[in-house]
Each structure stands twice: as structure tokens, then as C-alpha cells.
Amino acid sequence: MSTSNGEKSLIVSFGEMLIDFVPTVSGVSLSEAPGFIKAPGGAPANVAIAVARLGGRAAFVGKLGDDEFGHMLAGILKQNGVSADGINFDTGARTALAFVTLRSDGEREFMFYRNPSADMLLRPDELNLDLIRSAKVFHYGSISLIVEPCRSAHLKAMEVAKEAGALLSYDPNLRLPLWPSKEEAKKQILSIWDKAEVIKVSDEELMFLTGSDNVDDETALSLWHDNLKLLLVTLGEKGCNYYTKSFRGSVDPFHVDAVDTTGAGDSYVGALLCNIVDDRSVLEDEARLREVLRFANACGAITTTKKGAIPALPTVSEVQALLNGN
């Protein structure tokens, strides 16, 4: 909500926040790792911090354990300028953990501890509806759809945000080990597909959801629906493809030395949302949209150059330096 003091419009991110335990050395399996470093994460939380780091206004809605890790994560959001007004604490369940291996190519493998974790136990009646209603953009993933009661909380939050006029933004963020089966993952991810107005999928997610071996325009457009304003397919080091009702195209990547891909997609999404929250007409103006996506690609690229998601999320000046070739 724009207020008289020129306050920026609010981007609310809904879902999970957890701690990744990352090996102290790269390129080893979990069993071979000599030790682990705590790295706060969870895609929706990363997006909220990415927005704030770029000067936007962000809030996170979700549930954490009423434990040291949960309070640590809430503190990290606040330190990074993200509103914690939408956070609940669960006294009976722990904050989620994930052990993550970084392979030598910077890609990741996950082992999750969630049985159940606090984020899965968020109930519809615990939602801060005033906060959700004040969002200009409401962003979410699919991990919050896996189990009840969180699934009902997710659907309610989406409905309330939509009724209040928010733009709905969806990044499925497929994590197959968390789903009971591939079939269930695909079914539930697609169950809310036609509600979102902005959707971002990776090339791998596109192939998973369509059953295709291609990431071409025809495959991408098979996921199109009438409510969509923008469909994005991210291609890692190959940039991204974009699709709207009126035009489509691709935006080149920035070539950097990738150390850790964690959070790159979240950084990309945060950059996009920051640049459309106050002016949705960007979505109908190809030249301006391409500039925004170039900025988003730069954010994603910078995020891969450092270990961990949150420490690697860029500021505007870092992005400008890459855009200007400095």
C-alpha cells in the first residue's frame, strides 16, 4: 500500500524458512563432509531478503520452531530489513533443517529433517491477514502445498491476497525428496497453476511438469493459462526465456565463475518483483521488461559467485557494476 510518506509498496513472501547445513568443503558427499556451516535459507525467505537487499519493502509469512534456530532465523530476517510481522512460532515442532551437499560443479543435493517441522504446521487461523492484505505482490512456492494444515493456510493466504488486489507470483521450487511421489508433486504444483499471474520455472522444472525433454517455446507455452501475465523459464548459465500474451523472447546471461548456485533463482525472482511491484505496465512493455530481466539475470549471476544464499544476495550497486561491466 503506498502511503503519503512515499513508502514503497509491499512484497509479501509466503512459505518455509529453514537452516541449510553446508559442508565446510565442496565436492564431497554428506558422509564424507568433515563439518558443516549453518546457512539460513528457504526459497520464500531468500526472495524476501533479496527484495530488501535491493531496497524494496518485504515481509515474510510462515512458521518457525520456538527454538534457538527459529529465533535465529527471525532475527536474520529483521537484520536484513524484512518485516517479521507474519511469523508464528510453534512450541511443539522444530525449525526445519536440510543437509546440503555442494557437488564440485556447484550443484546441490539435499537431505531434509522435517517430521513434521514447524513450517508444515502453519494453520489458516494463524495468518496475519492484515499484513497479507497490504501486499502489492504476494509470492509463494509449492513446498507449502505438501501437507496440511500448511496447505490450507497457503490457499487461504493466496485467496486473501488476491481479493485485496495483489499480483500473485509463483516459483514452484521443486524439491522432489520432500514429496511423497513424483506424481503427487506434479499434481499439487499444477493444482494452483491457473491462479498465478507471474510464474517462474527452471528448465528442469519445465521438463518435469510437461514430461518433455525440451525447453523450447512450444513446451513452455503448454503451461500458459489465461490469467498469466508473464511466464519465465530460467536456463542457468544460458540466461532466461520470457513469454507474455503479446511477445516472447530470451535474455542473455552474465558469465561469472559460479561457486554455489544456492539462492540464484530466488535472487532473480526478488529482482523481478522489486521492479514490477510499483509499475505492472512493465509486463506489457517488451523493451522495459527486457531491461528488468537483464537486471534479474545479473542478480542471479552475482548470487552464484559466493557460498550460501543470503550472504550472496546482491545490492543495487553490485548489480550496476556487473551491468556496466566494471
Side-chain angles (χ1 to χ4, degrees):
M1 244 155 54
S2 293
T3 51
S4 55
N5 64 2
E7 202 170 49
K8 291 193 166 75
S9 298
L10 180 65
I11 295 168
V12 171
S13 204
F14 174 93
E16 69 286 348
M17 187 175 193
L18 61 146
I19 297 178
D20 290 340
F21 283 85
V22 186
T24 48
V25 291
S26 294
V28 296
S29 66
L30 290 176
S31 58
E32 293 164 344
F36 296 89
I37 294 167
K38 299 196 301 286
N46 291 342
V47 169
I49 294 174
V51 166
R53 187 90 33 102
L54 292 168
R57 189 166 153 246
F60 174 74
V61 173
K63 201 173 200 185
L64 299 168
D66 189 6
D67 51 38
E68 282 209 26
F69 285 157
H71 290 285
M72 179 192 108
L73 292 175
I76 285 165
L77 287 169
K78 289 179 203 161
Q79 286 158 27
N80 283 282
V82 175
S83 164
D85 294 346
I87 292 179
N88 289 273
F89 291 95
D90 195 290
T91 51
R94 294 282 187 221
T95 300
L97 309 177
F99 286 81
V100 184
T101 49
L102 271 185
R103 299 204 310 254
S104 44
D105 60 359
E107 285 299 326
R108 301 152 298 163
E109 290 166 4
F110 295 88
M111 183 166 77
F112 292 93
Y113 283 69
R114 296 170 89 237
N115 55 341
S117 54
D119 59 287
M120 301 157 72
L121 302 177
L122 179 67
R123 302 191 311 270
D125 64 326
E126 294 176 306
L127 292 168
N128 182 337
L129 297 181
D130 288 340
L131 180 70
I132 292 166
R133 285 190 187 104
S134 66
K136 273 276 169 33
V137 170
F138 185 73
H139 175 75
Y140 46 88
S142 71
I143 289 172
S144 40
L145 295 173
I146 299 175
V147 289
E148 292 290 2
C150 186
R151 184 170 194 275
S152 290
H154 180 141
L155 297 176
K156 166 96 179 201
M158 245 169 58
E159 182 188 335
V160 168
K162 180 69 182 163
E163 278 172 7
L167 181 82
L168 299 188
S169 162
Y170 186 20
D171 175 358
N173 231 313
L174 178 67
R175 295 281 178 271
L176 266 181
L178 292 178
W179 289 91
S181 67
K182 284 184 176 179
E183 293 72 30
E184 182 70 3
K186 185 172 174 179
K187 179 183 159 193
Q188 294 299 344
I189 287 170
L190 293 174
S191 71
I192 58 167
W193 198 257
D194 60 357
K195 301 267 195 284
E197 292 155 286
V198 173
I199 294 178
K200 173 243 158 197
V201 288
S202 69
D203 41 9
E204 288 177 3
E205 288 160 349
L206 174 61
M207 291 190 284
F208 173 77
L209 291 170
T210 59
S212 170
D213 298 329
N214 284 313
V215 290
D216 57 11
D217 289 351
E218 187 184 352
T219 307
L221 287 167
S222 70
L223 292 176
W224 187 264
H225 65 77
D226 285 345
N227 290 327
L228 254 184
K229 293 184 169 71
L230 176 64
L231 173 65
L232 295 162
V233 180
T234 54
L235 308 166
E237 70 270 14
K238 297 191 185 81
C240 66
N241 295 339
Y242 59 87
Y243 305 88
T244 74
K245 284 187 175 71
S246 317
F247 51 79
R248 65 175 86 157
S250 59
V251 180
D252 289 338
F254 289 87
H255 294 289
V256 293
D257 293 326
V259 176
D260 176 6
T261 58
T262 310
D266 305 327
S267 180
Y268 174 96
V269 170
L272 169 75
L273 298 181
C274 261
N275 280 288
I276 64 174
V277 66
D278 284 313
D279 187 2
R280 295 187 196 176
S281 69
V282 171
L283 300 173
E284 287 147 30
D285 180 336
E286 187 166 15
R288 284 162 68 213
L289 180 63
R290 288 183 63 86
E291 280 304 304
V292 166
L293 295 178
R294 194 164 172 267
F295 184 92
N297 278 355
C299 283
I302 292 167
T303 308
T304 69
T305 62
K306 295 182 202 162
K307 265 197 179 180
I310 291 168
L313 297 169
T315 60
V316 171
S317 57
E318 288 173 305
V319 181
Q320 291 301 350
L322 182 58
L323 289 171
N324 299 333
N326 298 338

